[in-house]
Amino acid sequence: MQELSFGQYSLVYNAFSFTFATMAAATLFLWFGRSQVGHAYKTALTISGLVCAIAAYHYFRIFESWQSAYDIKNGVVVASGYAFNDAYRYVDWLLTVPLLLIELILVMRLSAEETVSKATKLGAAAALMIVLGYPGEIATDIPTRILWGTLSAIPFVYIMWQLFAGLGASINSQPESVRELVKKARLLTFASWGFYPIVYMIPYTSLSGSNVIVGVQVGYTIADVIAKAGVGILIYMIATRKSQVEYGDPAHA
Ligand SMILES: *C/C=C(C)/C=C/C=C(C)/C=C/C1=C(C)CCCC1(C)C
């Protein structure tokens, strides 16, 4: 483990703690929000809340792992000998990334066949992207990191292309009043997902040692808040607005 300054240690510690609270709060908001939408949109909100719940659990574990990886002695941060466990993050992604794509598809309320076929294709590609990225994330040399990162980028590009080309046609069939919001949810997904491979490439830059550890951990954490809680709130807004159009008062739908 690299030497961290006390400030660096605290920054990551606080980022994990804040994100645990954000994910837990977003879970409650999204699950309680189910009563505000018509029945066709309840599953989209259940899944959006589930994504945040899974992330809250993993941030709690990541936070604990960070704490046990270092000891503070007289204000100096020293490695405790326990390795910080990066696997929590990847297990979290393996579960939440396919679910995030499914919540986006569900809120569009496509035909049953289209929903199943898009959810299967995109969900499988997302899982493949995460599985291929993991050996690179834990690699200690740059060539191995580049190899697995490049392989992982293949399903990533496919997903991004599907979000734009594949869902583009479906977006035009959405009610006028939500079309812009659905585009925003797609754009926020696109932008936040694009941030992950950039963070992954931090070790390729001139940054080194503890700066890499801090950059990667804080970078992924910011991206997770936007991609899960941020996109979840947009899904909630789309679902309530579509419910008003399609059901009138959703409380009596
Ligand atoms: C809530 C978590 C989300 C939305 C995670 C998304 C993760 C990615 C889009 C990761 C992509 C990667 C690549 C495209 C290449 C390098 C390895 C990864 C796994 C960081």
Side-chain angles (χ1 to χ4, degrees):
M1 281 263 160
Q2 305 282 342
E3 290 295 322
L4 290 169
S5 73
F6 186 70
Q8 287 178 317
Y9 171 81
S10 303
L11 178 66
V12 176
Y13 178 99
N14 289 320
F16 290 162
S17 171
F18 166 81
T19 303
F20 166 67
T22 305
M23 295 297 182
T27 303
L28 292 178
F29 177 82
L30 292 164
W31 280 346
F32 283 125
R34 291 176 80 260
S35 64
Q36 308 297 311
V37 302
H39 76 266
Y41 300 104
K42 290 194 191 294
T43 309
L45 289 194
T46 303
I47 292 183
S48 303
L50 193 58
V51 165
C52 293
I54 296 169
Y57 167 75
H58 284 113
Y59 267 95
F60 184 69
R61 301 308 304 265
I62 290 171
F63 176 78
E64 283 188 324
S65 172
W66 183 255
Q67 263 190 315
S68 58
Y70 298 97
D71 290 324
I72 317 284
K73 290 199 176 111
N74 302 320
V76 178
V77 182
V78 287
S80 68
Y82 288 104
F84 173 67
N85 190 352
D86 257 325
Y88 289 129
R89 200 179 277 295
Y90 272 75
V91 171
D92 178 82
W93 291 353
L94 190 59
L95 296 166
T96 56
V97 170
L99 290 174
L100 278 167
L101 290 168
I102 291 169
E103 76 187 45
L104 195 59
I105 294 165
L106 280 177
V107 85
M108 296 181 66
R109 201 180 182 183
L110 307 172
S111 71
E113 303 92 275
E114 234 184 322
T115 301
V116 172
S117 98
K118 281 196 161 53
T120 314
K121 275 193 278 185
L122 289 176
L128 187 65
M129 170 182 86
I130 301 304
V131 168
L132 290 172
Y134 185 63
E137 190 72 70
I138 59 170
T140 46
D141 63 297
I142 295 292
T144 310
R145 195 173 177 96
I146 292 180
L147 170 70
W148 291 102
T150 307
L151 290 175
S152 165
I154 298 167
F156 175 76
V157 168
Y158 168 77
I159 295 166
M160 292 296 131
W161 170 71
Q162 277 288 317
L163 281 183
F164 271 83
L167 285 185
S170 316
I171 287 178
N172 290 327
S173 66
Q174 295 294 301
E176 182 85 52
S177 62
V178 295
R179 226 171 274 166
E180 284 311 308
L181 268 182
V182 176
K183 281 194 184 148
K184 275 200 187 113
R186 183 178 65 165
L187 191 65
L188 198 61
T189 302
F190 187 74
S192 58
W193 287 39
F195 200 60
Y196 292 87
I198 295 172
V199 172
Y200 181 90
M201 289 189 281
I202 288 178
Y204 309 169
T205 66
S206 60
L207 286 181
S208 62
S210 58
N211 288 325
V212 169
I213 299 177
V214 174
V216 168
Q217 294 309 326
V218 173
Y220 283 152
T221 301
I222 294 171
D224 277 350
V225 169
I226 298 169
K228 297 180 168 69
V231 170
I233 303 301
L234 273 181
I235 297 285
Y236 168 80
M237 288 169 67
I238 294 166
T240 47
R241 204 169 291 182
K242 287 180 84 175
S243 299
Q244 277 156 14
V245 173
E246 293 164 19
Y247 293 91
D249 179 0
H252 301 285

